[in-house]
Amino acid sequence: MISIGLILPDVLGTYGDDGNALVLRQRARMRGLEAEIVRVKLGDPVPSTLDVYCLGGGEDTAQILAAEHLIADGGLTRAASAGRPIFAICAGLQVLGESFRASGRVVDGVGLIDATTASLSKRAIGEVVSTPVLPGLSAPLTGFENHMGATILGPDASPLGSVTRGVGNTDLAALGAVEGGSVSVSEQKLAEGAVQGSVIATYMHGPALARNPELADLLLARAMGVELASLAPLDLPVVDKLRAERLR
């Protein structure tokens, strides 16, 4: 049985990113594997032994509530320490960073990603496409970004992809104070998402895993403790059609 944790869907469920957990469950079941979604709501303890975790997007108040709960509970941090895959979208990316800006103040994040989030000069909204940087991925990554966060990666984090269309993590105005680190200013400008340890995060809505089946299967393989190449391929023409339409 593959256990898929859907973390705080009651506060981080604004943009339909709950669909990522559904995609993981369905792609597992289509391969004849048993899979279940474990919904963990605000105030519930976060189990540290699930096979994979999904976090979605939300507004400022929701982000603050999520960060406070996840820091106090500690379950997700223990899961990350154990190497269990975690997939975070938009506000989820910001919440898992070192700090983020919400409701006019800087809020402490969970600290699973070496990243800080301030504010963009202009909202990033529209299609975003990137070339994957994460080893194991080869297909272009596609999604819909809608955020005001300017996320700067620290030396311990790497981008998920390099932007070929759209804004990505940040804009030029927010990069003025960036110095040093393993991610250069030019790389920060093209960066989309973040990868650190077992955590993969992105600003891509869509939901992201419906639009990027290779990424979904990478997470599924990690949840199972196997190589991506060992998963039986799925012939889904409708997904291929969706990707072709979105990449246009």
Side-chain angles (χ1 to χ4, degrees), residues 13 73 78 89 99 134 209 235:
D73 176 79
R78 290 190 292 273
I89 306 294
S99 67
L134 179 63
L209 297 186
D235 183 18

mmCIF file with all atom_site columns, all heavy atoms in Angstrom, residues 13 73 78 89 99 134 209 235:
data_model
loop_
_atom_site.group_PDB
_atom_site.id
_atom_site.type_symbol
_atom_site.label_atom_id
_atom_site.label_alt_id
_atom_site.label_comp_id
_atom_site.label_asym_id
_atom_site.label_entity_id
_atom_site.label_seq_id
_atom_site.pdbx_PDB_ins_code
_atom_site.Cartn_x
_atom_site.Cartn_y
_atom_site.Cartn_z
_atom_site.occupancy
_atom_site.B_iso_or_equiv
_atom_site.pdbx_formal_charge
_atom_site.auth_seq_id
_atom_site.auth_comp_id
_atom_site.auth_asym_id
_atom_site.auth_atom_id
_atom_site.pdbx_PDB_model_num
ATOM 1  N N   . GLY A 1 13  ? -5.527 24.518 0.039   1.00 0.00 ? 13  GLY A N   1
ATOM 2  C CA  . GLY A 1 13  ? -6.273 23.856 -1.023  1.00 0.00 ? 13  GLY A CA  1
ATOM 3  C C   . GLY A 1 13  ? -7.006 24.823 -1.930  1.00 0.00 ? 13  GLY A C   1
ATOM 4  O O   . GLY A 1 13  ? -7.992 24.465 -2.571  1.00 0.00 ? 13  GLY A O   1
ATOM 5  N N   . ASP A 1 73  ? 4.199  20.963 15.040  1.00 0.00 ? 73  ASP A N   1
ATOM 6  C CA  . ASP A 1 73  ? 3.968  19.514 14.982  1.00 0.00 ? 73  ASP A CA  1
ATOM 7  C C   . ASP A 1 73  ? 5.261  18.733 14.736  1.00 0.00 ? 73  ASP A C   1
ATOM 8  O O   . ASP A 1 73  ? 5.527  17.734 15.415  1.00 0.00 ? 73  ASP A O   1
ATOM 9  C CB  . ASP A 1 73  ? 2.954  19.203 13.883  1.00 0.00 ? 73  ASP A CB  1
ATOM 10 C CG  . ASP A 1 73  ? 2.736  17.718 13.694  1.00 0.00 ? 73  ASP A CG  1
ATOM 11 O OD1 . ASP A 1 73  ? 1.998  17.115 14.493  1.00 0.00 ? 73  ASP A OD1 1
ATOM 12 O OD2 . ASP A 1 73  ? 3.338  17.151 12.752  1.00 0.00 ? 73  ASP A OD2 1
ATOM 13 N N   . ARG A 1 78  ? 10.314 15.535 10.338  1.00 0.00 ? 78  ARG A N   1
ATOM 14 C CA  . ARG A 1 78  ? 10.849 14.183 10.583  1.00 0.00 ? 78  ARG A CA  1
ATOM 15 C C   . ARG A 1 78  ? 10.765 13.337 9.316   1.00 0.00 ? 78  ARG A C   1
ATOM 16 O O   . ARG A 1 78  ? 11.665 12.535 9.032   1.00 0.00 ? 78  ARG A O   1
ATOM 17 C CB  . ARG A 1 78  ? 10.087 13.520 11.735  1.00 0.00 ? 78  ARG A CB  1
ATOM 18 C CG  . ARG A 1 78  ? 10.368 14.155 13.098  1.00 0.00 ? 78  ARG A CG  1
ATOM 19 C CD  . ARG A 1 78  ? 9.798  13.327 14.241  1.00 0.00 ? 78  ARG A CD  1
ATOM 20 N NE  . ARG A 1 78  ? 8.341  13.316 14.244  1.00 0.00 ? 78  ARG A NE  1
ATOM 21 C CZ  . ARG A 1 78  ? 7.594  14.242 14.840  1.00 0.00 ? 78  ARG A CZ  1
ATOM 22 N NH1 . ARG A 1 78  ? 8.163  15.272 15.451  1.00 0.00 ? 78  ARG A NH1 1
ATOM 23 N NH2 . ARG A 1 78  ? 6.273  14.161 14.823  1.00 0.00 ? 78  ARG A NH2 1
ATOM 24 N N   . ILE A 1 89  ? 3.534  23.023 -3.566  1.00 0.00 ? 89  ILE A N   1
ATOM 25 C CA  . ILE A 1 89  ? 3.135  23.937 -4.632  1.00 0.00 ? 89  ILE A CA  1
ATOM 26 C C   . ILE A 1 89  ? 2.949  25.352 -4.088  1.00 0.00 ? 89  ILE A C   1
ATOM 27 O O   . ILE A 1 89  ? 2.275  25.552 -3.083  1.00 0.00 ? 89  ILE A O   1
ATOM 28 C CB  . ILE A 1 89  ? 1.800  23.489 -5.266  1.00 0.00 ? 89  ILE A CB  1
ATOM 29 C CG1 . ILE A 1 89  ? 1.870  22.034 -5.734  1.00 0.00 ? 89  ILE A CG1 1
ATOM 30 C CG2 . ILE A 1 89  ? 1.418  24.415 -6.410  1.00 0.00 ? 89  ILE A CG2 1
ATOM 31 C CD1 . ILE A 1 89  ? 2.829  21.791 -6.864  1.00 0.00 ? 89  ILE A CD1 1
ATOM 32 N N   . SER A 1 99  ? 11.849 31.606 5.388   1.00 0.00 ? 99  SER A N   1
ATOM 33 C CA  . SER A 1 99  ? 10.922 32.672 5.754   1.00 0.00 ? 99  SER A CA  1
ATOM 34 C C   . SER A 1 99  ? 10.150 33.112 4.520   1.00 0.00 ? 99  SER A C   1
ATOM 35 O O   . SER A 1 99  ? 10.583 32.886 3.387   1.00 0.00 ? 99  SER A O   1
ATOM 36 C CB  . SER A 1 99  ? 11.670 33.876 6.358   1.00 0.00 ? 99  SER A CB  1
ATOM 37 O OG  . SER A 1 99  ? 12.487 34.499 5.386   1.00 0.00 ? 99  SER A OG  1
ATOM 38 N N   . LEU A 1 134 ? 16.433 18.956 -12.413 1.00 0.00 ? 134 LEU A N   1
ATOM 39 C CA  . LEU A 1 134 ? 16.477 17.800 -11.513 1.00 0.00 ? 134 LEU A CA  1
ATOM 40 C C   . LEU A 1 134 ? 16.846 16.537 -12.282 1.00 0.00 ? 134 LEU A C   1
ATOM 41 O O   . LEU A 1 134 ? 16.170 16.176 -13.251 1.00 0.00 ? 134 LEU A O   1
ATOM 42 C CB  . LEU A 1 134 ? 15.110 17.615 -10.840 1.00 0.00 ? 134 LEU A CB  1
ATOM 43 C CG  . LEU A 1 134 ? 14.961 16.442 -9.877  1.00 0.00 ? 134 LEU A CG  1
ATOM 44 C CD1 . LEU A 1 134 ? 15.890 16.607 -8.678  1.00 0.00 ? 134 LEU A CD1 1
ATOM 45 C CD2 . LEU A 1 134 ? 13.511 16.325 -9.407  1.00 0.00 ? 134 LEU A CD2 1
ATOM 46 N N   . LEU A 1 209 ? 1.072  17.740 -11.411 1.00 0.00 ? 209 LEU A N   1
ATOM 47 C CA  . LEU A 1 209 ? 1.363  16.344 -11.733 1.00 0.00 ? 209 LEU A CA  1
ATOM 48 C C   . LEU A 1 209 ? 0.465  15.812 -12.846 1.00 0.00 ? 209 LEU A C   1
ATOM 49 O O   . LEU A 1 209 ? 0.822  14.843 -13.513 1.00 0.00 ? 209 LEU A O   1
ATOM 50 C CB  . LEU A 1 209 ? 1.262  15.468 -10.483 1.00 0.00 ? 209 LEU A CB  1
ATOM 51 C CG  . LEU A 1 209 ? 2.271  15.807 -9.376  1.00 0.00 ? 209 LEU A CG  1
ATOM 52 C CD1 . LEU A 1 209 ? 2.187  14.793 -8.242  1.00 0.00 ? 209 LEU A CD1 1
ATOM 53 C CD2 . LEU A 1 209 ? 3.693  15.902 -9.913  1.00 0.00 ? 209 LEU A CD2 1
ATOM 54 N N   . ASP A 1 235 ? 0.152  4.295  -21.194 1.00 0.00 ? 235 ASP A N   1
ATOM 55 C CA  . ASP A 1 235 ? -0.231 4.855  -22.488 1.00 0.00 ? 235 ASP A CA  1
ATOM 56 C C   . ASP A 1 235 ? -1.511 5.667  -22.296 1.00 0.00 ? 235 ASP A C   1
ATOM 57 O O   . ASP A 1 235 ? -2.614 5.111  -22.223 1.00 0.00 ? 235 ASP A O   1
ATOM 58 C CB  . ASP A 1 235 ? -0.449 3.730  -23.496 1.00 0.00 ? 235 ASP A CB  1
ATOM 59 C CG  . ASP A 1 235 ? -0.790 4.264  -24.892 1.00 0.00 ? 235 ASP A CG  1
ATOM 60 O OD1 . ASP A 1 235 ? -0.527 5.458  -25.132 1.00 0.00 ? 235 ASP A OD1 1
ATOM 61 O OD2 . ASP A 1 235 ? -1.313 3.492  -25.719 1.00 0.00 ? 235 ASP A OD2 1
#
